[in-house]
Amino acid sequence: MRVTVRIPGPLRPFCDGRSQLVVEAATTVAAAIGQLPAGARERILDEQGNVRRHVNVFVGATDIRETGGLATPLADGASVFVIPAVSGGRLQPA
Amino acid sequence: MAVTRASDFRPGDQIVLVGTMKGAFVFRGRGAGYRLVGGPRFPGQPVYALAYDDRGGRERLFAGTEHPHFGSVLRTSDDLGRTWSEASEPNLKFPADTDLALKQIWQIAPGRADEPDVLYCGVNPSSLFESRDGGSSFLLVRSLHDHPHRPKWTPGGGGMCLHTILPHPSDKRTMLVAMSTGGVYRTTDGGMSWQASNTGIRAEFLPDKHPEFGQCVHKVVHHPARPQRYFLQNHWGLYKSDDGGASWKDIANGVPSDFGFAMASHPHDPDTVYIVPLQSDEFRCTPEARLRVYRTRDAGASWKPLTKGLPQKDAWETVLRDAFTTDAADPAGIYFGTRSGKLFASGNDGGSWDCLAEGLPPVTCVRAAVVRGGARPAARTRPSAPRSRASRPRARGSR
């Protein structure tokens, strides 16, 4: 069973610069995030293991807050998206 | 997008570190003026705490940064702010059994001079962390965390923060900390136990105006030459203790308001203290729209306004608790920043002030020091806002 975790830009330095990581044997979102490098994992979750307030995690297009949080089950081939809440955009070149 | 400028420092230069709600900035003082030489570092991230530490043969800067999404970490720089560490993992963490998570780092306090690897951090939620390896790793100070008063400490307007850490300069058993709310706590047994130490401090917002604890203390300062004396800016109230914090006396003699946040001790004169009174807790701006620093030179017996060079019209300013500081130069550099993004400096003990910069993000903290070693220039890239009055003559040397 393989799951793809999409990594937002600010966390890529903690994942060797990669924009996505494939993890094995992850049947829940918690298990998938738990396999990320510590620098990324501990910025998604606080020290009590909760998803930080301004971080959103989606399985496909669905926010895990609607599907059981970190216990949300994952199917083989699922994509987990880690996305900073209400953020984005970039400066336009001068 | 971070803007980098040359940050070459020479021995004897002054370094002014400015934390804001959107990153940190570095100013260099040399000869006749100050210059913005770095920033924004950590763009977009609130920086509530900064520190300069020259103990143990090193020259290290510390910054407590709060990423709006990914949490707070303590960063270090060993080249005077040219480059900063990126902690591979968050380095201040509450143990699992506390059920708490770090929000912000509010205070970074180097330990005693003869303990160069000891560093303290005060955080939100109100807790004290201690490092014994120069800031690489931290442990929660359990004796304070487990205090039976903790369940009754409540958040102030800025959150539930431990914002003041004052180790006794020579007695390793003694330390004072302060938090909002909660008040002052002291240990005299090396941190084995902590006692509330608020006798005489009012709590206007509670039915009992003089409780054992629960006061909203905003800042406490002391001078190493007078370690038994403390000055305290309260949420309504200005106080002094001459008995190591055991009791406090009102010293609001001649100030327009005894409400405020900022307070700093003069580095060379233990009788001199600076404050910036604000009108009230409901209107946290300078009274009468005049930006006035108040200074006592007689340990609180009297206070005089300092206004030369500061706006005295339409100045609804706020200076936060850690946004006022001094350096150890002779004459000393006195600095403060405002929530409107202005940075002021005085080189004659506050007799006159220069505006070093305006247009900064809201200033949360300012720290300054005289550079001992120095750092080589970094590669220059194109500078941009905020506007800096880089070459403006400063008051230093004109006393």
Side-chain angles (χ1 to χ4, degrees), chain B residues 25-185:
Chain B
F25 298 81
V26 180
F27 290 78
R28 185 193 65 208
R30 176 186 297 166
Y34 288 85
R35 182 183 179 201
L36 175 65
V37 295
R41 307 292 187 197
F42 333 116
Q45 300 184 42
V47 179
Y48 280 37
L50 291 160
Y52 169 92
D53 183 11
D54 66 350
R55 299 169 303 156
R58 63 172 177 256
E59 196 159 38
R60 178 170 290 172
L61 308 182
F62 293 94
T65 64
E66 181 195 12
H67 193 288
H69 298 106
F70 301 120
S72 296
V73 297
L74 183 73
R75 300 169 190 267
T76 61
S77 172
D78 288 328
D79 55 14
L80 296 174
R82 201 154 52 100
T83 60
W84 290 84
S85 67
E86 174 66 83
S88 58
E89 300 168 30
N91 40 17
L92 273 82
K93 293 185 278 193
F94 280 91
D97 67 288
T98 63
D99 203 29
L100 295 174
L102 177 69
K103 292 184 177 176
Q104 299 106 9
I105 301 168
W106 276 69
Q107 188 78 176
I108 304 166
R112 298 169 183 87
D114 61 349
E115 298 176 311
D117 288 331
V118 175
L119 185 80
Y120 300 96
C121 284
V123 307
N124 176 2
S126 287
S127 295
L128 179 66
F129 282 82
E130 180 180 12
S131 171
R132 292 195 166 272
D133 57 10
S136 296
S137 63
F138 285 85
L139 288 175
L140 176 67
V141 176
R142 284 281 188 173
S143 53
L144 184 61
H145 180 270
D146 294 338
H147 200 288
H149 292 171
R150 166 174 284 279
K152 294 186 178 180
W153 298 341
T154 55
M160 200 165 98
C161 55
L162 192 154
H163 52 71
T164 295
I165 305 166
L166 297 173
H168 190 285
S170 56
D171 181 355
K172 295 180 181 176
R173 299 166 302 174
T174 299
M175 179 187 291
L176 179 150
V177 300
M179 61 188 80
S180 302
T181 69
V184 172
Y185 283 77

Side-chain angles (χ1 to χ4, degrees), chain A residues 4 7 11-12 16 30 41 44 49 57-58 60 68-71 81 87-88:
Chain A
T4 300
I7 308 296
L11 298 188
R12 290 174 193 167
D16 294 327
R41 182 180 69 242
I44 298 169
V57 179
F58 294 81
L70 290 168
F81 295 84
S87 63

Side-chain angles (χ1 to χ4, degrees), chain B residues 163-164 180 216-220 233-235 259-261 321:
Chain B
H163 52 71
T164 295
S180 302
C216 188
V217 173
H218 287 175
K219 200 65 198 172
V220 187
Q233 174 66 69
N234 196 43
H235 184 108
F259 186 88
F261 288 94
R321 74 189 79 214

Side-chain angles (χ1 to χ4, degrees), chain B residues 269-329:
Chain B
D269 179 4
D271 289 338
T272 296
V273 172
Y274 300 88
I275 58 171
V276 183
L278 303 181
Q279 181 159 322
S280 71
D281 49 356
E282 292 189 345
F283 188 60
R284 301 180 180 199
C285 294
T286 41
E288 304 166 46
R290 300 170 62 193
L291 179 50
R292 288 170 289 183
V293 173
Y294 276 73
R295 178 184 64 194
T296 178
R297 285 181 145 168
D298 51 18
S302 63
W303 297 85
K304 296 287 173 51
L306 306 172
T307 60
K308 189 176 180 182
L310 300 177
Q312 298 302 300
K313 183 181 178 186
D314 299 338
W316 291 276
E317 298 283 6
T318 305
V319 180
L320 297 178
R321 74 189 79 214
D322 280 303
F324 203 119
T325 196
T326 64
D327 65 29

Side-chain angles (χ1 to χ4, degrees), chain B residues 350-365:
Chain B
S352 61
W353 300 86
D354 286 327
C355 183
L356 303 187
E358 52 189 329
L360 296 168
V363 175
T364 52
C365 63

